[in-house]
Amino acid sequence: MSKLAIYPGTFDPFTNGHLDIALRSVRLFDHLVIAITTNAKKTPLFTVPQRKALIEKSLPEGLDITVESFDGLLVDYAQERGSIILIRGLRAVSDFEYELQMALLNRRLNPAIETIFKMPSEEYSFLTSTAVKEIAQLGGCVDGLVPVAVKAALIEKFNNNL
Amino acid sequence: MSKLAIYPGTFDPFTNGHLDIALRSVRLFDHLVIAITTNAKKTPLFTVPQRKALIEKSLPEGLDITVESFDGLLVDYAQERGSIILIRGLRAVSDFEYELQMALLNRRLNPAIETIFKMPSEEYSFLTSTAVKEIAQLGGCVDGLVPVAVKAALIEKFNNNL
Amino acid sequence: MSKLAIYPGTFDPFTNGHLDIALRSVRLFDHLVIAITTNAKKTPLFTVPQRKALIEKSLPEGLDITVESFDGLLVDYAQERGSIILIRGLRAVSDFEYELQMALLNRRLNPAIETIFKMPSEEYSFLTSTAVKEIAQLGGCVDGLVPVAVKAALIEKFNNNL
Amino acid sequence: MSKLAIYPGTFDPFTNGHLDIALRSVRLFDHLVIAITTNAKKTPLFTVPQRKALIEKSLPEGLDITVESFDGLLVDYAQERGSIILIRGLRAVSDFEYELQMALLNRRLNPAIETIFKMPSEEYSFLTSTAVKEIAQLGGCVDGLVPVAVKAALIEKFNNNL
Amino acid sequence: MSKLAIYPGTFDPFTNGHLDIALRSVRLFDHLVIAITTNAKKTPLFTVPQRKALIEKSLPEGLDITVESFDGLLVDYAQERGSIILIRGLRAVSDFEYELQMALLNRRLNPAIETIFKMPSEEYSFLTSTAVKEIAQLGGCVDGLVPVAVKAALIEKFNNNL
Amino acid sequence: MSKLAIYPGTFDPFTNGHLDIALRSVRLFDHLVIAITTNAKKTPLFTVPQRKALIEKSLPEGLDITVESFDGLLVDYAQERGSIILIRGLRAVSDFEYELQMALLNRRLNPAIETIFKMPSEEYSFLTSTAVKEIAQLGGCVDGLVPVAVKAALIEKFNNNL
């Protein structure tokens, strides 16, 4: 049986930590979908199409990864896509509690859904999209924190030399 | 001596986790007041009178529980009501730290006040009012997460079939 | 209805943090039993009768507190004593997780049992029986950490001037 | 490509929480090996062959799950078995930190190894092998906490009616 | 070699917990700069010049502490000031994770930077600027929580008798 | 005024994480003493003189670091050495809580003592002496986890090729 896993998130923007989780995950399943949620609570820095394009530019070629977006409930989207596997990264205890809550809630909404957690490489354990945006906005260097395409988009967005 | 305990919160909306804490608490004390704070930081989904009505509809009959609202400091409200017992639910570590801070601060503001913590049944350990609102807004099913009166109010609010 | 609450623990030895929890708890219920468990995993410093005597000497007179010991399951002991209320202190996140586990397990063993958690005064937030024993053994001063009767017993035990 | 996942642990004894993780995991991969480590720090209650037999009796028939034991490093065992996927359960923050440490250490010892984390059903969130042994030893009822074969073995071991 | 340490923060307003950290820190280094960040995410209650004046009024005389403000990246400001030492207070686990993330990120942005963490006296372990503002706004007493100059400013701001 | 800081620990054995903390700390103070406690609860793998020799071999030349050992209370040892500064590494939340407890307790025993916390480089965030011993005992490779002198001592101790 072919296995399709979904890696959902806001990805505003996609960081090297997200990339690390994606690359580690595609090795475990036959196909991975990176799924951008459009239900953002905060005003995003990049539009969904911009985020989709940045993720696609950041992925190495030849991997069984596609990038999509969804609105509505994640469990409904997973069912439409025929997947029961959700992947989430865990960096810290605060992540853990929120993610545990979401995993149990999603299981309640659809008992067939399984959430699995992966830890990024320790070099990305401190990395969040929010921190990346703050650094870029203040003119700090984001080399090594995000893929080059994302760095270029951040420079253009904030109109400064990172 | 008759003991009056206060269970304060935002209850926007009242969930089955809140109901569980209330039912467990009233067994321990002679009377329980569920006290809705009007000092919400965020714009609430339901008005205070709506929340009060929903809680009242959700409680089984014949229990020594009343529903009230208060503004100002919780410790001042407790003193007016002649109660020294505050009840708070604890689900997770993040709850724990915030609640510890509030309990110590309230004790500082009024040393007579005692906060006691109760844990909801594990089936509600993942349940928050915020999550319920998100699910309802996205059209997910909230059966088993909230009392039926709250479910009906959520459907009316979001004008969809949950 | 008269309420009896049980405050179980190893109390090897009883500290000012334990005393603080006991004094705060007896105000909330009609009667408090401090219940020393005899199922210690580690070899205790003081025997159960010694611990019982030290607690009794440390309590102010005139309070509705009795000191007992029990073996077997805590939930069985509570039932024998006619109590459904267990009291536990919470100092830190590590306490919290262990206590949550025990509370849920006890509720599973006897659904009528309610565990309530109280936080000691912040001046005792760092205080454990283990730390007290280490300090006393190394000749450190335990003034303010334990009742005077316990201090005297520690000096006698370690045969040094604290 | 066929995927083999390894679920390592001490399983002294196998609980319904372990069973839940195993059943959820085998759905995600083609084959699951439950691997009993023989490097226990503490003296186990059951021998490795006893634990192996109890797990085998507890598994439903017809699933692609085998039960094995290993000594030495887990990453070496995984390599011998041709697996890069380790599965671990996460119940609480304290689990999380220990598991994070082990996952990063195992990745350091063998970068090909991927650890994935799964959360048990919330009804088992409080369940540990240690707690089960304590309850059984004190004569408490372990119904619903462990498979029937494990219950029988605990009764025989402690020679009492649970 | 003379050592200059920087204690950065929002200080909106400066509390007795901040004062405690500052006084403990200046003993360890030759000079301390309390550095107010102007990059506040939320609308502050006091302007940067107001906060600077309140901190200066709250410090005892004769200490090697100066109060400054900065915008841009903290690591860039530290470099301009010729300091490699950042001081941050740690109260709780939630502080810890955020601060760990910031420390690792700052180290990434400038490997010469060292962040050191100090814990306030336990009597301030529950104290945050946010809590102080809420109490003052609701008319609660902030005696002992903030320096007298800050108390006076809060009264003036909220136009009530604290 | 010259500042002497003390970095206390068991160091059984000294790891690259300990080395990282030591090197980061000596930059902040004029002199650093790595102080091996002889009050180990568990039977150590290496004797105190062996641990002292291994630390000395692992330190780069020309740094103001000395290695000592002490018994009795850490606060008494610090006073004898004329130091008020204790340095401790923080890796995880579980570290944090234990260290917070020890820091507050030490401050209680001697109010002049200041404990400061430093975080190791994220590449050592998963590293403990206990883990190193387990890996070495099971024949795993400890390259990059410990200094070369410690690696050699571990090989000799466990008589195998790491």
Side-chain angles (χ1 to χ4, degrees):
Chain A
M1 183 178 58
S2 172
K3 306 281 187 192
L4 170 68
I6 292 177
Y7 177 26
T10 307
F11 305 114
D12 183 42
F14 196 67
T15 69
N16 281 346
H18 296 134
L19 180 59
D20 185 58
I21 295 286
L23 297 181
R24 291 178 185 282
S25 299
V26 74
R27 295 170 60 211
L28 305 185
F29 300 101
D30 300 299
H31 191 79
L32 182 73
V33 176
I34 298 177
I36 305 168
T37 177
T38 62
N39 306 315
K41 289 180 196 171
K42 296 176 287 187
T43 309
L45 184 65
F46 295 104
T47 66
V48 169
Q50 283 173 329
R51 281 181 265 164
K52 184 168 182 296
L54 287 175
I55 298 172
E56 284 167 345
K57 279 187 208 161
S58 303
L59 293 171
E61 300 218 356
L63 292 176
D64 279 321
I65 305 181
T66 52
V67 188
E68 302 182 0
S69 65
F70 71 100
D71 50 15
L73 286 173
L74 174 55
V75 293
D76 293 343
Y77 167 72
Q79 192 152 333
E80 282 167 37
R81 292 298 278 107
S83 173
I84 60 160
I85 308 171
L86 303 180
I87 292 170
R88 294 289 292 164
L90 277 184
R91 277 168 318 217
V93 168
S94 44
D95 278 0
F96 168 72
E97 296 220 314
Y98 176 76
E99 295 294 337
L100 173 59
Q101 189 191 55
M102 293 311 297
L104 293 178
L105 208 48
N106 282 330
R107 193 182 284 168
R108 179 87 176 225
L109 292 171
N110 182 346
I113 292 286
E114 290 296 323
T115 305
I116 68 174
F117 298 94
K118 296 198 58 55
M119 289 166 188
S121 172
E122 63 264 33
E123 65 185 305
Y124 304 123
S125 62
F126 56 83
L127 191 56
T128 65
S129 292
T130 301
V132 161
K133 283 183 278 192
E134 284 178 18
I135 293 169
Q137 188 166 17
L138 296 173
C141 174
V142 295
D143 281 346
L145 303 181
V146 292
V148 287
V150 174
K151 179 184 170 182
L154 287 166
I155 291 177
E156 195 181 293
K157 186 67 84 177
F158 292 116
N159 197 18
N160 53 27
N161 288 322
L162 296 184
Chain B
M1 183 178 58
S2 173
K3 306 281 187 190
L4 172 68
I6 293 176
Y7 178 25
T10 306
F11 305 115
D12 183 42
F14 196 67
T15 69
N16 282 345
H18 296 134
L19 180 59
D20 183 59
I21 295 285
L23 297 182
R24 290 177 186 284
S25 298
V26 75
R27 297 170 58 212
L28 305 184
F29 301 101
D30 300 298
H31 192 79
L32 183 73
V33 176
I34 298 178
I36 306 167
T37 177
T38 62
N39 307 313
K41 290 179 194 171
K42 296 175 288 186
T43 309
L45 183 65
F46 294 103
T47 66
V48 169
Q50 284 173 328
R51 280 179 266 165
K52 186 169 180 297
L54 288 174
I55 298 173
E56 285 168 345
K57 279 187 211 162
S58 304
L59 294 171
E61 300 219 355
L63 293 176
D64 279 322
I65 305 181
T66 51
V67 188
E68 302 183 358
S69 65
F70 71 100
D71 50 15
L73 286 173
L74 173 57
V75 294
D76 293 344
Y77 167 72
Q79 191 152 335
E80 283 167 36
R81 295 295 280 108
S83 173
I84 60 161
I85 308 171
L86 303 180
I87 291 170
R88 294 288 293 161
L90 276 183
R91 277 167 318 216
V93 169
S94 44
D95 277 0
F96 169 72
E97 297 221 312
Y98 176 76
E99 294 295 336
L100 173 60
Q101 188 191 55
M102 292 312 295
L104 293 177
L105 207 49
N106 283 330
R107 193 182 283 169
R108 179 85 174 227
L109 292 171
N110 183 347
I113 292 287
E114 289 296 323
T115 305
I116 68 173
F117 298 94
K118 296 198 57 56
M119 288 163 189
S121 172
E122 62 265 34
E123 66 184 306
Y124 304 124
S125 62
F126 56 84
L127 190 57
T128 65
S129 292
T130 301
V132 162
K133 283 182 278 192
E134 284 178 17
I135 292 168
Q137 188 165 19
L138 296 172
C141 175
V142 295
D143 281 346
L145 303 181
V146 292
V148 287
V150 174
K151 180 184 168 183
L154 286 166
I155 290 176
E156 193 182 294
K157 185 68 83 177
F158 293 117
N159 196 17
N160 53 27
N161 289 323
L162 293 185
Chain C
M1 183 177 58
S2 173
K3 307 280 188 193
L4 172 68
I6 292 176
Y7 177 25
T10 306
F11 304 115
D12 183 43
F14 196 68
T15 69
N16 281 346
H18 296 135
L19 180 59
D20 184 59
I21 295 285
L23 298 181
R24 291 178 185 283
S25 299
V26 75
R27 296 169 59 211
L28 305 185
F29 300 101
D30 300 299
H31 192 79
L32 182 73
V33 176
I34 298 178
I36 306 168
T37 176
T38 63
N39 307 314
K41 290 180 195 171
K42 296 176 288 187
T43 308
L45 183 65
F46 295 103
T47 66
V48 169
Q50 284 173 329
R51 281 179 266 164
K52 185 168 181 296
L54 288 174
I55 298 172
E56 284 168 345
K57 279 187 209 161
S58 303
L59 293 171
E61 300 220 356
L63 292 176
D64 279 321
I65 305 181
T66 52
V67 188
E68 302 183 359
S69 66
F70 71 100
D71 50 15
L73 285 173
L74 174 55
V75 294
D76 293 344
Y77 167 72
Q79 191 152 334
E80 283 166 36
R81 293 297 279 107
S83 173
I84 59 161
I85 308 170
L86 303 180
I87 292 170
R88 294 288 293 164
L90 277 184
R91 278 167 318 215
V93 169
S94 44
D95 278 358
F96 168 72
E97 297 221 312
Y98 176 75
E99 294 295 336
L100 173 59
Q101 188 191 56
M102 292 311 296
L104 293 177
L105 207 48
N106 283 330
R107 193 182 283 168
R108 179 87 175 226
L109 292 172
N110 182 347
I113 293 286
E114 289 296 323
T115 305
I116 69 173
F117 298 94
K118 296 199 58 54
M119 289 166 188
S121 171
E122 62 265 33
E123 64 185 307
Y124 304 124
S125 62
F126 56 83
L127 191 56
T128 65
S129 292
T130 300
V132 161
K133 284 183 278 193
E134 284 178 18
I135 292 169
Q137 189 165 18
L138 296 172
C141 175
V142 296
D143 281 346
L145 304 180
V146 292
V148 286
V150 174
K151 179 184 169 181
L154 287 166
I155 290 177
E156 195 181 295
K157 185 68 83 179
F158 292 117
N159 196 18
N160 54 26
N161 288 321
L162 296 184
Chain D
M1 183 177 60
S2 172
K3 305 282 187 191
L4 172 68
I6 292 176
Y7 178 26
T10 306
F11 305 114
D12 182 43
F14 196 67
T15 69
N16 281 346
H18 296 134
L19 180 60
D20 184 59
I21 295 285
L23 297 182
R24 290 178 186 284
S25 298
V26 74
R27 296 170 59 211
L28 305 185
F29 301 101
D30 300 298
H31 191 80
L32 182 73
V33 176
I34 298 178
I36 305 167
T37 176
T38 62
N39 307 314
K41 288 179 194 173
K42 296 175 288 186
T43 309
L45 183 65
F46 294 103
T47 65
V48 169
Q50 284 173 328
R51 282 180 265 165
K52 185 170 181 295
L54 288 175
I55 298 173
E56 285 168 345
K57 279 187 211 161
S58 303
L59 293 171
E61 301 220 355
L63 292 176
D64 280 322
I65 305 181
T66 52
V67 188
E68 303 184 357
S69 65
F70 71 100
D71 51 16
L73 287 172
L74 173 56
V75 293
D76 293 343
Y77 167 71
Q79 191 152 336
E80 283 167 35
R81 294 297 279 108
S83 173
I84 59 160
I85 308 171
L86 302 180
I87 291 169
R88 295 288 292 163
L90 276 184
R91 276 168 318 215
V93 169
S94 44
D95 277 359
F96 169 70
E97 296 220 313
Y98 177 76
E99 294 295 338
L100 174 59
Q101 188 192 54
M102 292 312 295
L104 293 177
L105 208 49
N106 282 330
R107 193 183 282 168
R108 179 84 174 228
L109 293 171
N110 183 347
I113 293 286
E114 289 297 324
T115 304
I116 69 174
F117 298 94
K118 296 199 57 55
M119 288 165 190
S121 172
E122 61 265 33
E123 65 184 306
Y124 304 125
S125 62
F126 56 84
L127 190 56
T128 65
S129 292
T130 300
V132 162
K133 284 182 278 192
E134 284 178 19
I135 292 169
Q137 189 166 18
L138 296 172
C141 174
V142 295
D143 281 346
L145 303 181
V146 292
V148 288
V150 174
K151 179 184 169 182
L154 286 166
I155 290 177
E156 193 182 295
K157 184 68 82 178
F158 292 117
N159 196 18
N160 54 26
N161 288 323
L162 294 184
Chain E
M1 183 177 60
S2 173
K3 306 280 188 191
L4 172 68
I6 292 175
Y7 178 25
T10 307
F11 305 115
D12 183 45
F14 196 67
T15 69
N16 281 346
H18 296 133
L19 180 60
D20 184 60
I21 295 285
L23 297 182
R24 291 178 186 283
S25 298
V26 74
R27 297 169 58 211
L28 305 184
F29 300 102
D30 300 299
H31 192 77
L32 182 73
V33 176
I34 298 177
I36 305 167
T37 177
T38 63
N39 307 315
K41 289 178 195 172
K42 296 175 289 187
T43 309
L45 183 66
F46 295 103
T47 66
V48 169
Q50 284 173 329
R51 281 180 265 165
K52 185 170 181 295
L54 287 174
I55 298 173
E56 285 168 344
K57 280 186 209 161
S58 303
L59 294 170
E61 301 220 355
L63 292 176
D64 280 320
I65 305 181
T66 52
V67 187
E68 302 183 358
S69 65
F70 71 101
D71 50 16
L73 286 172
L74 174 56
V75 294
D76 293 344
Y77 167 72
Q79 191 152 335
E80 282 166 37
R81 293 296 280 108
S83 174
I84 60 160
I85 308 171
L86 303 181
I87 292 170
R88 295 288 292 163
L90 276 184
R91 276 167 318 216
V93 169
S94 44
D95 278 0
F96 169 71
E97 296 221 313
Y98 176 76
E99 294 295 337
L100 173 60
Q101 188 191 53
M102 292 312 296
L104 293 177
L105 206 49
N106 282 330
R107 194 183 282 169
R108 179 86 174 226
L109 293 171
N110 182 346
I113 292 288
E114 289 296 324
T115 305
I116 69 174
F117 298 93
K118 295 198 58 56
M119 288 165 189
S121 173
E122 62 266 31
E123 64 184 307
Y124 305 124
S125 61
F126 57 83
L127 191 55
T128 65
S129 292
T130 300
V132 162
K133 282 182 279 193
E134 283 178 18
I135 292 169
Q137 190 165 16
L138 297 172
C141 175
V142 296
D143 280 346
L145 303 181
V146 292
V148 287
V150 173
K151 179 185 169 183
L154 287 166
I155 290 176
E156 195 182 293
K157 185 69 81 177
F158 293 115
N159 195 19
N160 53 25
N161 288 323
L162 295 184
Chain F
M1 181 177 62
S2 172
K3 307 281 187 191
L4 171 69
I6 292 176
Y7 177 25
T10 307
F11 305 115
D12 183 44
F14 197 67
T15 69
N16 282 347
H18 296 134
L19 180 60
D20 184 59
I21 294 286
L23 298 181
R24 290 178 186 282
S25 298
V26 74
R27 297 168 59 211
L28 305 184
F29 300 102
D30 300 299
H31 192 77
L32 182 73
V33 176
I34 297 177
I36 305 167
T37 178
T38 62
N39 306 316
K41 289 179 196 171
K42 296 174 289 186
T43 309
L45 183 66
F46 295 103
T47 66
V48 169
Q50 284 173 329
R51 281 179 266 163
K52 185 170 182 295
L54 288 175
I55 298 173
E56 284 168 344
K57 279 187 208 161
S58 303
L59 294 170
E61 300 220 355
L63 292 176
D64 279 321
I65 305 181
T66 53
V67 188
E68 302 184 358
S69 65
F70 71 99
D71 50 16
L73 286 173
L74 174 55
V75 293
D76 293 343
Y77 167 72
Q79 192 151 333
E80 282 167 35
R81 295 295 281 109
S83 173
I84 59 160
I85 308 170
L86 303 181
I87 292 170
R88 295 288 292 164
L90 277 184
R91 277 166 317 215
V93 169
S94 44
D95 277 0
F96 169 72
E97 296 222 312
Y98 176 76
E99 295 295 336
L100 174 59
Q101 187 191 56
M102 294 311 296
L104 292 178
L105 206 49
N106 283 329
R107 193 183 282 169
R108 179 85 175 227
L109 292 171
N110 183 346
I113 292 287
E114 289 296 324
T115 305
I116 68 174
F117 298 93
K118 295 198 60 54
M119 288 164 188
S121 173
E122 61 265 33
E123 65 185 307
Y124 305 124
S125 62
F126 56 82
L127 191 56
T128 65
S129 292
T130 300
V132 161
K133 283 183 278 193
E134 283 178 17
I135 293 169
Q137 189 166 16
L138 296 173
C141 174
V142 296
D143 280 346
L145 303 181
V146 292
V148 287
V150 174
K151 179 184 170 182
L154 286 166
I155 291 176
E156 196 182 294
K157 185 68 81 177
F158 292 115
N159 197 18
N160 53 25
N161 287 324
L162 295 186

